Coordinates of all heavy atoms in Angstrom, one line a residue:
M18 N -28.0 72.9 65.4 CA -27.1 73.3 64.4 C -27.8 74.2 63.5 O -29.0 73.9 63.0 CB -26.4 72.1 63.7 CG -25.3 72.5 62.6 SD -24.6 71.1 61.8 CE -24.1 69.9 63.1
N19 N -27.1 75.2 62.9 CA -27.7 76.0 61.8 C -26.8 75.8 60.5 O -25.9 75.0 60.5 CB -27.7 77.5 62.2 CG -26.4 77.9 62.5 OD1 -25.3 77.7 61.9 ND2 -26.2 78.9 63.4
A20 N -27.3 76.4 59.4 CA -26.6 76.2 58.2 C -25.2 76.6 58.1 O -24.4 75.9 57.5 CB -27.4 77.1 57.0
E21 N -24.8 77.7 58.9 CA -23.4 78.1 59.0 C -22.6 77.1 59.7 O -21.5 76.7 59.2 CB -23.3 79.4 59.6 CG -21.9 80.0 59.7 CD -21.2 80.2 58.4 OE1 -22.0 80.5 57.4 OE2 -20.0 80.1 58.3
E22 N -23.1 76.5 60.7 CA -22.3 75.4 61.5 C -22.2 74.2 60.6 O -21.2 73.5 60.6 CB -23.0 75.1 62.7 CG -22.9 76.3 63.8 CD -23.9 76.0 64.9 OE1 -25.1 75.5 64.8 OE2 -23.6 76.6 66.0
A23 N -23.3 73.9 59.8 CA -23.3 72.7 58.9 C -22.2 72.9 57.9 O -21.5 71.9 57.5 CB -24.6 72.6 58.2
R24 N -22.1 74.2 57.3 CA -21.0 74.4 56.3 C -19.6 74.2 56.9 O -18.7 73.6 56.3 CB -21.1 75.7 55.8 CG -22.2 75.9 54.7 CD -22.1 77.2 54.0 NE -22.5 78.3 54.7 CZ -23.7 78.7 54.9 NH1 -24.7 78.1 54.4 NH2 -24.0 79.8 55.7
H25 N -19.5 74.5 58.2 CA -18.2 74.4 58.9 C -17.9 72.8 59.1 O -16.8 72.3 58.9 CB -18.2 75.1 60.3 CG -17.0 74.9 61.1 ND1 -15.8 75.6 60.7 CD2 -16.7 74.2 62.1 CE1 -14.9 75.2 61.6 NE2 -15.4 74.4 62.4
V26 N -18.9 72.1 59.5 CA -18.8 70.6 59.8 C -18.4 69.9 58.3 O -17.5 69.2 58.3 CB -20.0 69.9 60.3 CG1 -19.9 68.5 60.3 CG2 -20.2 70.5 61.7
E27 N -19.0 70.3 57.3 CA -18.7 69.8 56.0 C -17.3 70.2 55.6 O -16.6 69.2 55.0 CB -19.7 70.3 54.9 CG -20.9 69.6 54.9 CD -21.9 70.0 53.7 OE1 -21.5 70.9 52.9 OE2 -23.0 69.6 53.8
A28 N -16.8 71.3 55.8 CA -15.5 71.8 55.5 C -14.5 71.0 56.3 O -13.5 70.5 55.8 CB -15.3 73.3 55.9
V29 N -14.8 70.7 57.6 CA -13.9 69.7 58.4 C -13.9 68.4 57.8 O -12.8 67.8 57.6 CB -14.3 69.8 59.9 CG1 -13.5 68.7 60.6 CG2 -14.2 71.1 60.5
L30 N -15.0 67.9 57.4 CA -15.0 66.6 56.8 C -14.2 66.5 55.5 O -13.4 65.6 55.2 CB -16.5 66.1 56.4 CG -17.4 65.9 57.7 CD1 -18.8 65.6 57.2 CD2 -16.9 64.6 58.4
R31 N -14.4 67.5 54.6 CA -13.6 67.6 53.4 C -12.1 67.7 53.7 O -11.3 67.0 53.0 CB -14.1 68.7 52.5 CG -15.3 68.4 51.7 CD -15.6 69.5 50.6 NE -15.6 70.9 51.1 CZ -16.7 71.5 51.8 NH1 -17.8 70.8 51.8 NH2 -16.7 72.6 52.2
H32 N -11.8 68.5 54.7 CA -10.4 68.6 55.1 C -9.7 67.4 55.4 O -8.5 67.1 55.2 CB -10.2 69.8 56.1 CG -8.8 69.9 56.5 ND1 -7.9 70.7 55.7 CD2 -8.2 69.6 57.7 CE1 -6.8 70.7 56.5 NE2 -6.9 70.0 57.6
M33 N -10.4 66.6 56.1 CA -10.0 65.3 56.6 C -10.1 64.2 55.5 O -9.8 63.0 55.8 CB -10.7 64.9 57.9 CG -10.5 65.8 59.0 SD -8.7 65.9 59.5 CE -8.8 65.7 61.2
G34 N -10.6 64.5 54.4 CA -10.8 63.5 53.3 C -12.0 62.7 53.4 O -12.0 61.5 52.9
L35 N -13.0 63.0 54.2 CA -14.1 62.2 54.5 C -15.4 62.7 53.7 O -15.5 63.9 53.6 CB -14.5 62.2 55.9 CG -13.4 61.7 56.9 CD1 -13.6 62.0 58.3 CD2 -13.1 60.2 56.6
P36 N -16.2 61.8 53.1 CA -17.4 62.2 52.4 C -18.5 62.6 53.4 O -18.5 62.2 54.5 CB -17.7 61.0 51.7 CG -17.3 59.8 52.5 CD -16.0 60.3 53.2
G37 N -19.5 63.4 52.9 CA -20.7 63.6 53.7 C -21.3 65.0 53.4 O -20.5 65.9 53.0
V38 N -22.6 65.0 53.5 CA -23.4 66.2 53.4 C -24.1 66.4 54.6 O -24.8 65.6 55.2 CB -24.5 66.0 52.2 CG1 -25.4 67.3 52.2 CG2 -23.8 65.8 50.9
V39 N -23.9 67.5 55.3 CA -24.6 67.9 56.5 C -25.9 68.5 56.3 O -26.0 69.5 55.5 CB -23.7 68.6 57.5 CG1 -24.3 68.9 58.8 CG2 -22.3 68.0 57.6
A40 N -27.0 68.0 56.8 CA -28.3 68.5 56.6 C -29.2 68.2 57.7 O -29.0 67.2 58.5 CB -28.9 67.9 55.3
P41 N -30.4 68.9 57.8 CA -31.3 68.7 59.0 C -32.0 67.4 58.7 O -32.2 66.9 57.6 CB -32.3 69.8 58.8 CG -32.0 70.6 57.6 CD -30.8 70.0 57.0
D42 N -32.2 66.7 59.8 CA -32.9 65.3 59.7 C -34.2 65.5 59.0 O -34.6 64.7 58.2 CB -33.0 64.9 61.2 CG -33.5 63.4 61.2 OD1 -33.1 62.7 60.4 OD2 -34.3 63.1 62.1
D43 N -34.9 66.6 59.4 CA -36.2 66.8 58.7 C -36.0 68.1 57.8 O -35.8 69.2 58.5 CB -37.3 67.0 59.7 CG -38.7 67.4 59.1 OD1 -38.7 67.5 57.9 OD2 -39.6 67.7 59.9
P44 N -36.0 68.0 56.5 CA -35.7 69.2 55.7 C -36.6 70.4 55.9 O -36.4 71.5 55.7 CB -35.9 68.7 54.3 CG -35.7 67.1 54.3 CD -36.2 66.9 55.8
E45 N -37.9 70.0 56.4 CA -38.9 71.1 56.8 C -38.6 71.8 58.1 O -39.3 72.7 58.4 CB -40.3 70.5 56.7 CG -40.7 69.8 55.4 CD -40.8 70.8 54.3 OE1 -41.2 72.0 54.5 OE2 -40.2 70.5 53.2
N46 N -37.7 71.2 58.9 CA -37.4 71.7 60.3 C -36.0 71.9 60.4 O -35.4 71.0 61.1 CB -38.0 70.7 61.3 CG -37.8 71.3 62.7 OD1 -37.6 72.5 62.9 ND2 -38.0 70.4 63.7
P47 N -35.3 73.0 60.0 CA -33.9 73.2 60.1 C -33.5 73.5 61.6 O -32.4 73.5 61.8 CB -33.7 74.4 59.2 CG -34.9 75.1 59.0 CD -36.0 74.0 59.1
A48 N -34.5 73.7 62.5 CA -34.2 73.9 63.9 C -34.0 72.7 64.6 O -33.6 72.6 65.7 CB -35.3 74.8 64.5
G49 N -34.4 71.5 63.9 CA -34.3 70.2 64.6 C -32.9 69.6 64.5 O -31.9 70.3 64.2
P50 N -32.7 68.3 64.8 CA -31.4 67.7 64.7 C -30.9 67.6 63.2 O -31.6 67.5 62.3 CB -31.6 66.3 65.2 CG -33.1 66.0 65.1 CD -33.8 67.5 65.1
W51 N -29.5 67.6 63.2 CA -28.8 67.6 61.9 C -28.0 66.4 61.8 O -27.5 65.9 62.9 CB -28.0 68.8 61.7 CG -28.7 70.1 61.4 CD1 -29.6 70.7 62.3 CD2 -28.6 71.0 60.3 NE1 -30.0 71.9 61.6 CE2 -29.4 72.1 60.4 CE3 -27.8 70.9 59.1 CZ2 -29.6 73.0 59.5 CZ3 -28.0 71.9 58.2 CH2 -28.8 73.0 58.4
R52 N -27.7 65.8 60.7 CA -27.0 64.6 60.6 C -26.1 64.7 59.4 O -26.2 65.6 58.5 CB -27.9 63.4 60.4 CG -28.8 63.2 61.6 CD -29.5 61.8 61.6 NE -30.5 61.8 62.5 CZ -30.4 61.7 63.8 NH1 -29.2 61.8 64.3 NH2 -31.4 61.5 64.6
V53 N -25.1 63.7 59.2 CA -24.3 63.6 58.1 C -24.9 62.5 57.2 O -25.3 61.5 57.6 CB -22.9 63.2 58.4 CG1 -22.0 63.1 57.2 CG2 -22.3 64.2 59.4
Y54 N -25.1 62.9 55.8 CA -25.7 61.9 54.8 C -24.7 61.6 53.8 O -23.8 62.5 53.6 CB -27.0 62.5 54.4 CG -28.0 62.7 55.3 CD1 -28.3 63.9 55.9 CD2 -28.8 61.6 55.8 CE1 -29.2 64.1 57.0 CE2 -29.8 61.7 56.8 CZ -30.0 63.0 57.4 OH -31.0 63.2 58.3
D55 N -25.0 60.7 53.0 CA -24.2 60.3 51.9 C -24.4 61.2 50.6 O -23.6 61.3 49.7 CB -24.3 58.8 51.5 CG -25.7 58.5 51.0 OD1 -26.7 59.3 51.3 OD2 -25.9 57.4 50.5
Q56 N -25.6 61.8 50.6 CA -25.9 62.7 49.5 C -27.0 63.6 50.0 O -27.6 63.5 51.0 CB -26.4 61.9 48.3 CG -27.7 61.0 48.6 CD -28.1 60.3 47.3 OE1 -28.1 60.9 46.3 NE2 -28.4 59.0 47.5
A57 N -27.3 64.7 49.2 CA -28.2 65.7 49.6 C -29.7 65.5 49.4 O -30.6 66.0 50.1 CB -27.9 67.0 48.8
D58 N -30.1 64.5 48.4 CA -31.4 64.2 48.1 C -32.1 63.7 49.4 O -31.8 62.5 49.7 CB -31.5 63.4 46.9 CG -32.9 63.0 46.5 OD1 -33.8 63.6 47.1 OD2 -33.0 62.3 45.6
P59 N -33.1 64.4 49.9 CA -33.7 63.8 51.2 C -34.5 62.6 50.9 O -34.8 61.8 51.9 CB -34.6 64.9 51.6 CG -34.6 65.9 50.6 CD -33.5 65.7 49.6
D60 N -34.9 62.1 49.7 CA -35.6 61.0 49.4 C -34.8 59.8 49.3 O -35.2 58.6 49.5 CB -36.5 61.1 48.1 CG -37.5 62.3 48.2 OD1 -38.0 62.4 49.3 OD2 -37.7 63.0 47.2
T61 N -33.5 59.9 48.9 CA -32.7 58.7 48.7 C -31.4 58.7 49.6 O -30.7 57.7 49.6 CB -32.3 58.7 47.3 OG1 -31.5 59.9 47.0 CG2 -33.4 58.5 46.3
R62 N -31.2 59.7 50.4 CA -30.0 59.8 51.3 C -30.0 58.7 52.3 O -31.0 58.3 52.9 CB -29.8 61.1 51.8 CG -30.8 61.5 52.8 CD -30.8 62.9 53.2 NE -31.8 63.3 54.3 CZ -31.9 64.5 54.7 NH1 -31.4 65.5 54.1 NH2 -32.9 64.7 55.7
Q63 N -28.7 58.3 52.8 CA -28.6 57.4 53.9 C -27.8 58.2 55.0 O -26.8 58.9 54.8 CB -27.8 56.2 53.5 CG -28.4 55.3 52.4 CD -29.8 54.7 52.9 OE1 -29.7 54.2 53.9 NE2 -30.8 54.8 52.1
D64 N -28.2 57.9 56.2 CA -27.5 58.6 57.4 C -26.1 57.9 57.5 O -26.0 56.8 57.7 CB -28.4 58.4 58.7 CG -27.7 59.1 59.8 OD1 -26.6 59.7 59.8 OD2 -28.4 59.1 60.9
T65 N -25.0 58.7 57.5 CA -23.7 58.2 57.6 C -23.1 59.0 58.8 O -21.8 59.0 58.9 CB -22.9 58.4 56.3 OG1 -22.9 59.8 56.0 CG2 -23.5 57.6 55.2
T66 N -23.8 59.5 59.8 CA -23.3 60.3 60.8 C -22.3 59.4 61.7 O -21.2 59.8 62.0 CB -24.4 60.7 61.8 OG1 -25.3 61.5 61.0 CG2 -23.9 61.5 62.9
A67 N -22.7 58.2 62.0 CA -21.8 57.3 62.8 C -20.4 57.0 62.0 O -19.4 57.1 62.7 CB -22.5 56.0 63.1
D68 N -20.5 56.7 60.8 CA -19.3 56.5 60.0 C -18.5 57.7 59.9 O -17.2 57.7 60.0 CB -19.7 56.1 58.6 CG -20.3 54.7 58.5 OD1 -20.2 54.0 59.4 OD2 -21.1 54.6 57.5
A69 N -19.1 59.0 59.8 CA -18.4 60.2 59.8 C -17.6 60.3 61.2 O -16.4 60.9 61.1 CB -19.2 61.4 59.4
L70 N -18.3 60.2 62.2 CA -17.6 60.3 63.5 C -16.4 59.3 63.7 O -15.4 59.8 64.2 CB -18.7 60.1 64.7 CG -19.7 61.2 64.8 CD1 -20.8 60.7 65.7 CD2 -19.0 62.5 65.2
V71 N -16.6 58.1 63.2 CA -15.5 57.1 63.3 C -14.4 57.7 62.5 O -13.2 57.6 62.8 CB -16.0 55.8 62.9 CG1 -14.7 54.8 62.7 CG2 -16.9 55.2 63.9
G72 N -14.7 58.1 61.2 CA -13.6 58.6 60.3 C -12.9 59.8 60.9 O -11.6 59.8 60.8
L73 N -13.6 60.7 61.5 CA -13.0 61.8 62.1 C -12.0 61.4 63.2 O -10.9 61.8 63.4 CB -14.0 62.8 62.6 CG -14.6 63.6 61.6 CD1 -15.8 64.5 62.2 CD2 -13.6 64.7 60.9
A74 N -12.5 60.5 64.1 CA -11.7 60.0 65.2 C -10.4 59.3 64.7 O -9.3 59.6 65.2 CB -12.5 59.0 66.1
Q75 N -10.6 58.5 63.7 CA -9.4 57.8 63.1 C -8.4 58.9 62.4 O -7.3 58.8 62.6 CB -9.8 56.8 62.1 CG -10.4 55.6 62.7 CD -11.1 54.6 61.8 OE1 -11.2 55.0 60.6 NE2 -11.2 53.4 62.2
A76 N -9.0 59.8 61.6 CA -8.2 60.8 61.0 C -7.5 61.7 62.0 O -6.3 62.1 61.8 CB -9.0 61.7 60.0
F77 N -8.2 62.1 63.0 CA -7.5 62.9 64.1 C -6.4 62.2 64.8 O -5.3 62.7 65.1 CB -8.6 63.4 65.1 CG -8.0 64.3 66.2 CD1 -7.8 65.7 65.8 CD2 -7.6 63.9 67.4 CE1 -7.3 66.6 66.7 CE2 -7.2 64.8 68.3 CZ -6.9 66.1 68.0
H78 N -6.6 60.9 65.1 CA -5.6 60.1 65.8 C -4.3 60.0 64.9 O -3.2 60.1 65.4 CB -6.1 58.7 66.2 CG -5.1 57.9 66.9 ND1 -4.7 58.1 68.1 CD2 -4.5 56.7 66.5 CE1 -3.7 57.2 68.4 NE2 -3.6 56.4 67.3
V79 N -4.6 59.7 63.6 CA -3.4 59.5 62.7 C -2.7 60.9 62.5 O -1.5 60.8 62.4 CB -4.0 58.9 61.3 CG1 -2.9 59.0 60.3 CG2 -4.4 57.5 61.6
S80 N -3.4 61.9 62.4 CA -2.8 63.2 62.0 C -2.1 63.8 63.3 O -1.3 64.7 63.2 CB -3.9 64.2 61.6 OG -4.8 64.6 62.6
R81 N -2.3 63.3 64.4 CA -1.6 63.9 65.6 C -1.1 62.6 66.5 O -1.5 62.4 67.6 CB -2.6 64.6 66.5 CG -3.1 65.8 65.8 CD -3.9 66.6 66.7 NE -4.6 67.8 66.0 CZ -4.1 69.0 66.0 NH1 -3.2 69.3 66.9 NH2 -4.7 70.1 65.4
P82 N 0.0 62.0 66.0 CA 0.5 61.0 66.8 C 1.3 61.5 67.9 O 1.7 62.7 68.0 CB 1.5 60.3 65.8 CG 1.8 61.3 64.8 CD 0.6 62.2 64.7
L83 N 1.6 60.8 68.9 CA 2.3 61.2 70.1 C 3.8 61.4 69.7 O 4.3 60.7 68.8 CB 2.3 60.0 71.2 CG 1.0 59.8 71.9 CD1 1.1 58.6 72.7 CD2 0.5 61.0 72.6
P84 N 4.4 62.4 70.3 CA 5.8 62.7 70.0 C 6.7 61.5 70.5 O 6.3 60.7 71.3 CB 6.2 63.8 70.9 CG 4.8 64.4 71.3 CD 3.9 63.3 71.2
P85 N 7.9 61.2 69.8 CA 8.6 60.1 70.1 C 9.1 60.2 71.6 O 9.4 61.2 72.1 CB 9.9 60.4 69.2 CG 9.4 61.2 68.1 CD 8.4 62.0 68.7
G86 N 9.0 59.0 72.2 CA 9.5 58.9 73.6 C 8.4 59.2 74.6 O 8.6 59.1 75.8
Q87 N 7.2 59.8 74.1 CA 6.2 60.1 75.1 C 5.3 58.9 75.3 O 5.0 58.2 74.4 CB 5.3 61.3 74.5 CG 4.2 61.7 75.5 CD 3.4 62.8 75.1 OE1 3.8 63.4 74.1 NE2 2.3 63.0 75.7
P88 N 5.1 58.5 76.5 CA 4.4 57.3 76.9 C 2.9 57.5 76.4 O 2.4 58.6 76.3 CB 4.5 57.2 78.4 CG 4.8 58.5 78.9 CD 5.6 59.2 77.7
K89 N 2.3 56.3 76.0 CA 0.9 56.4 75.7 C 0.1 56.7 76.9 O 0.4 56.2 78.0 CB 0.5 55.0 75.0 CG 1.1 54.8 73.8 CD 0.6 53.4 73.2 CE 1.3 53.2 71.8 NZ 0.9 51.9 71.3
P90 N -1.0 57.4 76.7 CA -1.9 57.8 77.9 C -2.6 56.5 78.3 O -2.9 55.7 77.5 CB -2.9 58.7 77.4 CG -2.8 58.7 75.9 CD -1.5 58.2 75.5
G91 N -2.8 56.4 79.6 CA -3.4 55.1 80.1 C -2.9 54.8 81.5 O -2.2 55.6 82.1
P92 N -3.4 53.7 82.0 CA -3.0 53.4 83.3 C -1.5 53.1 83.5 O -0.9 52.7 82.6 CB -3.7 52.0 83.6 CG -4.6 51.9 82.5 CD -4.3 52.8 81.4
T93 N -0.9 53.5 84.6 CA 0.5 53.3 85.0 C 0.6 52.6 86.3 O -0.4 52.9 87.2 CB 1.3 54.6 85.0 OG1 0.7 55.5 85.9 CG2 1.3 55.3 83.5
R94 N 1.8 52.0 86.5 CA 1.9 51.4 87.8 C 3.1 52.3 88.4 O 3.9 52.8 87.9 CB 2.4 49.9 87.6 CG 1.4 49.1 87.1 CD 1.9 47.7 87.0 NE 1.1 46.9 86.2 CZ 1.1 45.6 86.1 NH1 2.0 44.8 86.8 NH2 0.3 44.9 85.3
G95 N 3.0 52.2 89.8 CA 4.0 52.9 90.6 C 3.8 52.8 92.0 O 2.8 52.2 92.5
F96 N 4.6 53.4 92.8 CA 4.5 53.4 94.3 C 4.5 54.9 94.7 O 5.2 55.7 94.2 CB 5.7 52.6 94.9 CG 5.7 51.2 94.5 CD1 6.5 50.8 93.5 CD2 5.0 50.2 95.1 CE1 6.6 49.5 93.2 CE2 5.1 48.9 94.9 CZ 5.9 48.5 93.8
V97 N 3.7 55.0 95.8 CA 3.8 56.4 96.4 C 4.5 56.2 97.8 O 4.1 55.4 98.7 CB 2.3 56.9 96.7 CG1 2.3 58.2 97.4 CG2 1.5 57.0 95.4
I98 N 5.6 56.9 97.8 CA 6.5 56.7 99.0 C 6.2 58.1 99.8 O 6.6 59.1 99.3 CB 7.9 56.5 98.7 CG1 8.1 55.3 97.8 CG2 8.8 56.5 100.0 CD1 9.3 54.9 97.3
P99 N 5.6 57.9 101.0 CA 5.5 59.1 101.9 C 6.8 59.7 102.2 O 7.7 59.0 102.4 CB 4.6 58.6 103.0 CG 4.8 57.2 103.1 CD 5.2 56.8 101.7
P100 N 6.9 61.0 102.5 CA 8.1 61.6 103.0 C 8.3 61.1 104.5 O 7.5 60.7 105.2 CB 7.8 63.1 103.0 CG 6.4 63.3 102.8 CD 5.8 62.1 102.3
K101 N 9.7 61.1 104.8 CA 10.0 60.7 106.2 C 9.3 61.5 107.2 O 9.3 62.7 107.0 CB 11.5 60.6 106.4 CG 12.2 59.7 105.5 CD 13.7 59.6 105.8 CE 14.4 58.5 104.9 NZ 15.7 58.5 105.1
G102 N 9.0 61.0 108.3 CA 8.5 61.8 109.4 C 6.9 61.8 109.4 O 6.2 62.4 110.2
D103 N 6.2 61.1 108.4 CA 4.7 61.1 108.4 C 4.3 59.8 109.0 O 4.7 58.8 108.8 CB 4.2 61.2 107.0 CG 4.3 62.7 106.6 OD1 4.5 63.6 107.3 OD2 4.0 63.0 105.4

């Protein structure tokens, strides 16, 4: 991830009402992995990436409910009846 992508991720978090600062895991190595933190200060910040992912999943699910009458995705039961003559 680069700084532009990090700004995009932060914008999505804010849009969904979720806290977080996206920053490189190692401030000296922006080419390395990036994470979501509770604050920008590298000395006192806590990694909240997992919480941010859960929050996004919950916010996305709530913001896009299934239309009325549409069955929930998942296993279904039924029978396959071959056509006559097979």
Side-chain angles (χ1 to χ4, degrees):
M18 179 180 310
N19 60 34
E21 181 63 29
E22 292 168 325
R24 282 191 291 274
H25 180 72
V26 171
E27 281 186 6
V29 170
L30 289 172
R31 279 192 306 277
H32 179 74
M33 297 300 228
L35 300 169
V38 175
V39 181
D42 192 32
D43 177 2
E45 301 295 321
N46 181 17
W51 288 59
R52 302 192 188 290
V53 179
Y54 296 99
D55 62 342
Q56 59 180 315
D58 183 4
D60 295 328
T61 59
R62 67 186 182 188
Q63 298 292 316
D64 184 355
T65 60
T66 304
D68 295 335
L70 290 172
V71 169
L73 281 172
Q75 290 173 340
F77 184 79
H78 178 71
V79 170
S80 68
R81 296 186 185 254
L83 292 172
Q87 182 176 347
K89 293 181 180 178
T93 57
R94 296 183 192 190
F96 297 95
V97 176
I98 302 173
K101 291 184 178 180
D103 282 351

